[in-house]
Amino acid sequence: MIRIILVAAFVILFLVLSIPLLVAEWIIGKYNMELKSKSSLAIVKWAFRVCLFLAGTQVIIQGEENVPKDEPVLYIGNHRSYFDILITYVRVPRPTGYIAKKEMLKWPLLVNWMRNLHCLFLDRNDIKQGLKIILTAIDQVKSGISICIFPEGTRNKANHTFMEFHDGSFKIAAKTGCPIIPMTIYNSGDIFEDHLPKIKKTQVILHYGKPIYIKNLPKEDQRKISAYTKNIIQETYFKIKEEAGF
């Protein structure tokens, strides 16, 4: 139980003690939004690294050379754990907004940092609002901000399985021409969700696949881009499972 206490205590302390930083970031944003984006990115990446350290999580990175550094991308990944956000965010090379569920709006201070990071909040029961979020994400990519989505729509509670990837997520790449970066996250459920309420010291593998440019795919794959991307992530997942041995 000591790890969950350490992580929870750090998160609370960070949120409270970072209030002056939020004020400073707000002032910076009045004059230089690009600088605000970069500084907020650096601050949150540091906080997430501390959380992963306190949790005893060792992240093995594979294929990071596949992530373009000179253009925004659409990250697409499987989703098993709350820690997936931390694991993936500490590796992003440029400002990146995550699409999160609207319930996150209830968390004071945390939601302020999320907004600083260009996160968008989705009401999964409101189709019209969902469309607006996708349109906003498209505008963000056009302005140089990457987007990350877990298109299963929620955390998958079953080990070694995959839920359907929702098509709407992929419109961001289809409308902007940005590359899709498949992210395969292996064993993240072993950090916390597989043995609640304990946080366990463990290894996680994060694999970045080669960029997918929709326009370069055959027409049939373009029409079924969600299934195409899911298949890549799923095949990579089971390959990692076979090779990792855990």
Side-chain angles (χ1 to χ4, degrees):
M1 292 295 290
I2 185 66
R3 293 187 187 280
I4 192 169
I5 293 171
L6 289 173
V7 171
F10 173 77
V11 170
I12 292 170
L13 283 172
F14 171 77
L15 291 176
V16 173
L17 297 178
S18 68
I19 292 175
L21 288 176
L22 282 171
V23 174
E25 292 292 275
W26 178 79
I27 295 171
I28 292 170
K30 289 290 184 180
Y31 301 95
N32 191 328
M33 281 301 297
E34 184 178 355
L35 178 59
K36 177 184 177 182
S37 292
K38 289 181 178 179
S39 57
S40 291
L41 175 68
I43 291 167
V44 173
K45 285 173 74 170
W46 171 82
F48 282 177
R49 287 192 186 100
V50 173
C51 287
L52 291 170
F53 172 77
L54 294 175
T57 304
Q58 179 189 2
V59 183
I60 299 170
I61 307 298
Q62 300 176 347
E64 196 163 26
E65 68 278 4
N66 291 320
V67 181
K69 307 297 190 295
D70 57 351
E71 63 178 326
V73 305
L74 174 64
Y75 295 100
I76 295 289
N78 58 306
H79 193 23
R80 277 280 290 124
S81 172
Y82 289 117
F83 279 84
D84 292 338
I85 292 91
L86 284 68
I87 290 164
T88 56
Y89 201 83
V90 298
R91 308 305 304 185
V92 298
R94 62 189 299 127
T96 301
Y98 280 50
I99 294 187
K101 57 186 180 181
K102 70 167 186 176
E103 287 78 7
M104 298 302 297
L105 291 167
K106 299 176 182 177
W107 294 89
L109 300 179
L110 176 60
V111 71
N112 297 89
W113 281 112
M114 292 179 73
R115 284 179 170 142
N116 282 1
L117 299 174
H118 309 284
C119 292
L120 302 172
F121 302 92
L122 177 67
D123 183 347
R124 289 172 289 190
N125 297 316
D126 188 334
I127 296 176
K128 289 185 179 179
Q129 192 265 355
L131 177 59
K132 289 180 180 178
I133 291 297
I134 296 300
L135 293 174
T136 302
I138 289 170
D139 288 340
Q140 288 192 351
V141 170
K142 288 179 178 178
S143 70
I145 298 165
S146 293
I147 294 293
C148 181
I149 300 178
F150 300 111
E152 290 170 292
T154 187
R155 285 179 299 111
N156 187 350
K157 296 179 173 61
N159 262 327
H160 312 310
T161 64
F162 289 78
M163 297 187 292
E164 179 185 358
F165 279 23
H166 297 298
D167 293 334
S169 310
F170 296 86
K171 294 184 185 299
I172 298 166
K175 295 295 185 181
T176 63
C178 77
I180 297 169
I181 303 297
M183 298 189 305
T184 305
I185 307 169
Y186 180 78
N187 203 45
S188 61
D190 193 45
I191 302 172
F192 181 55
E193 280 78 7
D194 290 347
H195 38 72
L196 297 171
K198 295 181 180 179
I199 288 180
K200 176 185 172 184
K201 182 178 181 180
T202 193
Q203 281 188 344
V204 174
I205 296 175
L206 170 60
H207 179 95
Y208 294 99
K210 293 182 179 180
I212 301 169
Y213 291 89
I214 294 179
K215 64 181 180 180
N216 294 339
L217 296 176
K219 292 295 184 181
E220 181 66 18
D221 290 332
Q222 289 186 31
R223 287 193 293 270
K224 299 179 179 179
I225 185 61
S226 58
Y228 179 86
T229 307
K230 176 186 173 182
N231 186 56
I232 290 174
I233 293 172
Q234 187 168 283
E235 287 185 356
T236 303
Y237 180 94
F238 288 108
K239 182 179 178 181
I240 291 171
K241 182 177 183 292
E242 182 178 351
E243 294 176 350
F246 64 88

